[in-house]
Every structure is written in structure tokens, then in C-alpha cells.
Amino acid sequence: MTNSQKTKDIFLPGGPWISGQYLDEYLKEEKLNIHRFIYKNHESRHVQNQKTTFLEICNDTLEYLNSIQEPYNLIGHSFGGLIMLHLIGHPLLTKKIKKFIIISTPLTSQRSTVFQERTKELGRLDYFDNNSFQEVFNKILPLYFYKDSSQRKHLFTDTFYEGNQAANLTDDQFSVVKQNFKTYENQLTIIYGDEDLLLTEDEMIPPDNKEIFRFENCGHFPMLEVRENFTRVLERVLD
């Protein structure tokens, strides 16, 4: 990225109940100078009964972003995009943020019926019963991808449950997210796959002054399914 020395690029991953390994591998293989943020208590499975709420994650993210001295670009995938949109108008951030990019971010609380049932099944599992969790999660994994997901399973071997992220967003919090999406006046880039079961295309139609990139035959992880095209778009937007 030509501006990487002057502007810090920060990636907020999806989750928080999935490992960020998928993103780490992508950034490493593509040799991208982008910092992957780790949410509070994310990947700390040894803390018993530690389930972080959406608001706690937002506050922790805000604290981190406020500690950065240089200007930065924010990139949010899925849940990370929801956090970004919740914080997007915060007065502590507006002077530092240069660009917002949201990827595969569901802007409503509606999800496919099959996905909802699978996440409910995950929620009933024992917190430390990783074998049971992986068994159910492997049923969900094909719903994330339009193409064969078997080659991607290794990226989610460390997945574990930290609480249902959808349940952590109240109606009021979702209202803030959707309102900020509609009213944000600076550059906001939207990237998504047309076969993503976690969102509908109607909700991805951007307001004025937003740009949108739609990948065909792509599910919830464009950085994995259409890596070359996704990287080309990401570099173009960050340039």
C-alpha cells in the first residue's frame, strides 16, 4: 500500500466466536502491511465463563483506536464491520479516520433460518467442549462459503465459542449501526459476495457517496474465495 508509512491500516476480523486464523493467513500470504486487531478476550478460551458483550468489545476497540497517534484506515469483516459502524461517528475518532471499508457485514438482524438454527445449537454446547463445538461448526462452515469449503477447514481448527454475537447486539445497538450506515458522509466502501447467506443484497445498497464492490459466486469470505480480485480491490481502495 503506497500510504502505509503515513496511514496505518487496521483490520477488525469477524467473530468474535471464530478464530482470526483465516485473516492472519490471508494477510501473511498476500504480504499486506495491515494490522489485525484482536478483540478483548478473543482467543482466550482459558478464561472460564468469560463472554464479552458487544458494547464491551466496542469500548475496548475505541480505547485501542484512540491510543493510535497516526491517521488510519479501518477495515471490518462481518462482525468487525458492525463494530466500525457503531463507532463511526464517535468524536474521538473522526479526525483520525481516513477510510472505512466494511466487508460482508450484515446490516440487519435477519439471518437465514438454517444459520440461525445452527448458531442456536452452538449456543447450547458446553463452553469448553471443543469437539462438540467443532462438530456443529463444521455444519455451519459450508453456509459461509459458496464454493467447496473443505480446503478451508484448517483455517477454523481453533474455533471456539465465546457467546452468540447476534444476541449481544440489542435492537438499539442495531438501530445505531443502521443509522450510521445511512448518514455517514465520508468515504465508506462496501465489499460483499452475492452468495453470502448472512445478508441480503437489498441491505447492501449504499446510500449516496458510498462505493460498492460485489463479487459474483462468492460467500461470506471474499478474501478466501476470490482472493486475487479481493486483494486488487482492497489495495485500490487503500491506495
Side-chain angles (χ1 to χ4, degrees):
M1 314 280 172
T2 57
N3 292 334
S4 59
Q5 292 183 341
K6 295 182 179 180
T7 303
K8 187 181 184 70
D9 297 324
I10 304 170
F11 213 132
L12 275 60
W17 52 272
I18 61 175
S19 168
Q21 185 179 353
Y22 75 94
L23 188 54
D24 290 336
E25 180 171 296
Y26 164 74
L27 295 175
K28 180 179 180 180
E29 290 185 355
E30 293 298 321
K31 297 180 173 62
L32 298 176
N33 185 25
I34 299 177
H35 172 70
R36 196 265 283 192
F37 181 63
I38 299 178
Y39 303 122
K40 181 179 181 180
N41 296 319
H42 187 205
E43 301 173 0
S44 55
R45 71 177 71 190
H46 302 296
V47 183
Q48 190 169 9
N49 297 323
Q50 181 67 64
K51 296 184 179 181
T52 311
T53 67
F54 177 74
L55 188 57
E56 287 174 325
I57 292 176
C58 284
N59 289 337
D60 185 61
T61 305
L62 178 62
E63 181 179 354
Y64 163 73
L65 294 175
N66 194 42
S67 70
I68 299 174
Q69 299 302 315
E70 63 267 46
Y72 51 82
N73 300 318
L74 274 184
I75 312 156
H77 174 234
S78 190
F79 183 81
L82 293 177
I83 292 176
M84 285 171 48
L85 288 170
H86 196 267
L87 298 175
I88 203 169
H90 198 286
L92 292 177
L93 306 183
T94 51
K95 293 182 179 180
K96 296 181 183 179
I97 295 174
K98 296 300 181 180
K99 297 179 181 178
F100 269 103
I101 305 171
I102 59 174
I103 305 161
S104 307
T105 297
L107 296 172
T108 72
S109 56
Q110 300 300 314
R111 300 181 177 192
S112 71
T113 302
V114 175
F115 187 85
Q116 285 180 331
E117 289 304 314
R118 290 288 185 263
T119 53
K120 287 179 182 178
E121 192 173 351
L122 283 175
R124 290 191 292 266
L125 296 177
D126 181 81
Y127 183 74
F128 287 102
D129 188 356
N130 198 52
N131 290 333
S132 297
F133 182 94
Q134 283 295 331
E135 182 179 349
V136 177
F137 189 76
N138 285 337
K139 299 177 184 177
I140 290 182
L141 196 56
L143 302 178
Y144 277 116
F145 293 92
Y146 174 71
K147 302 172 183 177
D148 178 27
S149 63
S150 59
Q151 60 179 325
R152 308 296 184 189
K153 286 186 178 180
H154 73 283
L155 295 175
F156 299 90
T157 54
D158 293 329
T159 297
F160 60 95
Y161 183 69
E162 281 201 345
N164 189 318
Q165 62 197 38
N168 285 338
L169 270 79
T170 66
D171 290 341
D172 288 343
Q173 289 166 345
F174 253 119
S175 295
V176 170
V177 165
K178 289 185 284 187
Q179 182 65 21
N180 286 347
F181 173 73
K182 293 178 181 178
T183 60
Y184 187 64
E185 296 180 351
N186 297 326
Q187 179 178 351
L188 194 156
T189 301
I190 303 161
I191 302 174
Y192 75 101
D194 65 339
E195 298 291 340
D196 190 341
L197 295 179
L198 272 71
L199 50 85
T200 62
E201 290 207 69
D202 288 344
E203 69 184 280
M204 302 311 295
I205 297 175
D208 294 337
N209 302 320
K210 309 296 188 292
E211 63 178 346
I212 188 165
F213 296 92
R214 174 183 179 272
F215 293 116
E216 295 185 356
N217 300 326
C218 176
H220 196 61
F221 291 89
M223 70 285 292
L224 302 181
E225 289 198 85
V226 289
R227 174 175 291 191
E228 183 176 345
N229 289 337
F230 173 82
T231 302
R232 187 181 301 115
V233 166
L234 186 62
E235 289 183 321
R236 169 187 159 185
V237 174
L238 291 175
D239 189 13

